[in-house]
Amino acid sequence: MISSMTGYGSASRQVSLGAGVVADLQVECRAVNSRFLDLGFRLPDECRGAEPALREMATHSLSRGKVEFRAAWRVNSGAAGAAKSNPHALGALQQDRLDALYTLQEKAQEAFPKAQELSIAEVLRWPGIVSEPRGEEEGWIAATVEAGRAALEALIESRNSEGKALVGVLTNITSKMREIVKVIEPKVPEYVSQYQEKLTERLSEALAAQEQAKSGTELMERIRQEVVLYAVRIDIAEEFARLKTHLQAVDTALAGKGPVGKRLDFLMQELNREANTLSSKSVSEECTQAALELKLLIEQMREQVQNLE
């Protein structure tokens, strides 16, 4: 299935911290556009050990996109309430660190007499003062991998859903381009005829200018130049043929499976090249306008293709 490169997924698991305390762990997986597969991880220290497994899963499942795994956890409020009867289940004060902090405060107040004492909240937030149960490393890794796998699956599902919508948008654009070609291509002979009339007028003027000439050599050279120019200007049948071929290639890619973003990006370049050539060879205002509309639609497609994996 064709998928987008943008998406989001999340999942949560619980980790036992011991002493009846449980942590709620949530893992998020976000993805945005990128030329290649670019993986990033923002994990707390407890979850770092799961990074290799998460990287392997993402590499196996995705081919393009800037993908980031984020994890965060907090103590489950229900479990914390049940453990209130045992204060050490939630955290224990480190007496040696507390004594050291008290000594530092006294020295600081000696140097700065007007300094305020630390509040209880500031003391408890000081690094290392409160020792909380952390659980076993294996438990954290297992929970992170499980939540990461579920978040990745949700991400892939959202990317597939968005990819399906993008296919519909692109198919609609190619249909509009075919309608333009369908309207303009049959009119090309008429444009050629009109241009031929103008060319005949110019050649007649050239003939009149050569009435006094002793030979028609200069006249024939002028006619040859005009005919060559005429042939170059009106030969757009090949451009229409290539344009339709590229549109068919786009539809084939959209009807297929797997990553198609790079192929479609190349086809956008080819379509734009043909539209530019049609514009430069145009022999009528209507043809020029059609070429501009084609270029606009191609640019719209290019913007959407940037989102496809």
Side-chain angles (χ1 to χ4, degrees):
M1 180 180 293
I2 294 177
S3 64
S4 167
M5 280 192 287
T6 60
Y8 172 82
S10 67
S12 61
R13 293 292 186 275
Q14 289 190 329
V15 182
S16 175
L17 302 182
V21 182
V22 176
D24 291 327
L25 171 68
Q26 183 174 27
V27 177
E28 296 180 338
C29 190
R30 306 169 182 266
V32 294
N33 299 349
S34 179
R35 189 174 180 182
F36 304 102
L37 181 60
D38 182 10
L39 300 178
F41 300 88
R42 298 180 62 178
L43 308 176
D45 293 338
E46 296 83 1
C47 305
R48 286 291 180 187
E51 181 175 327
L54 294 177
R55 183 179 297 276
E56 182 179 357
M57 285 190 299
T59 303
H60 178 73
S61 303
L62 308 173
S63 61
R64 295 178 69 193
K66 182 177 177 62
V67 182
E68 183 178 64
F69 285 89
R70 296 184 182 184
W73 67 272
R74 63 181 180 180
V75 175
N76 183 284
S77 57
K84 282 184 177 179
S85 59
N86 179 13
H88 292 285
L90 297 178
L93 290 174
Q94 300 297 307
Q95 190 61 45
D96 55 341
R97 293 180 181 271
L98 194 61
D99 293 340
L101 180 61
Y102 181 77
T103 301
L104 287 174
Q105 178 180 250
E106 286 186 331
K107 292 183 178 180
Q109 286 182 320
E110 289 178 2
F112 304 96
K114 295 183 180 181
Q116 295 182 354
E117 294 184 355
L118 293 171
S119 66
I120 294 297
E122 291 171 335
V123 171
L124 293 178
R125 286 198 301 266
W126 197 269
I129 293 298
V130 178
S131 175
E132 295 182 347
R134 295 290 180 177
E136 298 295 331
E137 181 181 8
E138 292 78 7
W140 281 108
I141 293 177
T144 304
V145 171
E146 290 179 8
R149 180 180 291 107
L152 180 60
E153 291 175 354
L155 168 73
I156 293 173
E157 184 177 351
S158 69
R159 282 164 59 118
N160 289 341
S161 178
E162 185 174 338
K164 183 178 180 180
L166 287 175
V167 168
V169 172
L170 293 172
T171 302
N172 184 51
I173 294 177
T174 57
S175 297
K176 291 180 179 179
M177 294 178 66
R178 281 194 173 88
E179 286 298 319
I180 293 175
V181 174
K182 184 178 179 180
V183 170
I184 296 299
E185 191 173 18
K187 296 183 179 181
V188 171
E190 179 183 348
Y191 299 149
V192 172
S193 178
Q194 293 174 355
Y195 187 80
Q196 188 174 11
E197 292 178 2
K198 295 180 180 179
L199 178 60
T200 301
E201 293 178 2
R202 288 200 295 269
L203 293 178
S204 298
E205 294 174 358
L207 180 59
Q210 295 294 325
E211 287 182 353
Q212 303 300 323
K214 295 181 179 180
S215 68
T217 303
E218 294 181 5
L219 176 60
M220 294 303 298
E221 179 62 22
R222 175 69 181 277
I223 292 175
R224 188 190 67 80
Q225 292 175 358
E226 290 290 347
V227 170
V228 170
L229 177 61
Y230 169 76
V232 172
R233 294 273 302 178
I234 66 173
D235 186 15
I236 57 176
E238 186 176 350
E239 281 71 21
F240 275 122
R242 285 199 296 262
L243 188 64
K244 290 186 287 187
T245 299
H246 295 328
L247 287 174
Q248 182 59 47
V250 171
D251 286 344
T252 300
L254 293 176
K257 298 180 180 179
V260 296
K262 291 183 178 180
R263 174 169 175 76
L264 287 175
D265 188 55
F266 170 75
L267 288 173
M268 293 306 105
Q269 298 178 34
E270 295 301 305
L271 285 169
N272 194 58
R273 181 179 292 109
E274 302 307 328
N276 284 333
T277 305
L278 285 174
S279 179
S280 64
K281 289 187 175 184
S282 175
V283 293
S284 72
E285 182 64 27
E286 189 174 5
C287 189
T288 300
Q289 186 62 35
L292 292 176
E293 291 179 6
L294 287 173
K295 292 173 66 174
L296 177 61
L297 291 171
I298 293 168
E299 185 60 31
Q300 292 177 3
M301 291 183 67
R302 188 196 300 273
E303 293 177 0
Q304 299 298 333
V305 165
Q306 300 303 315
N307 295 322
L308 290 179
E309 184 178 11

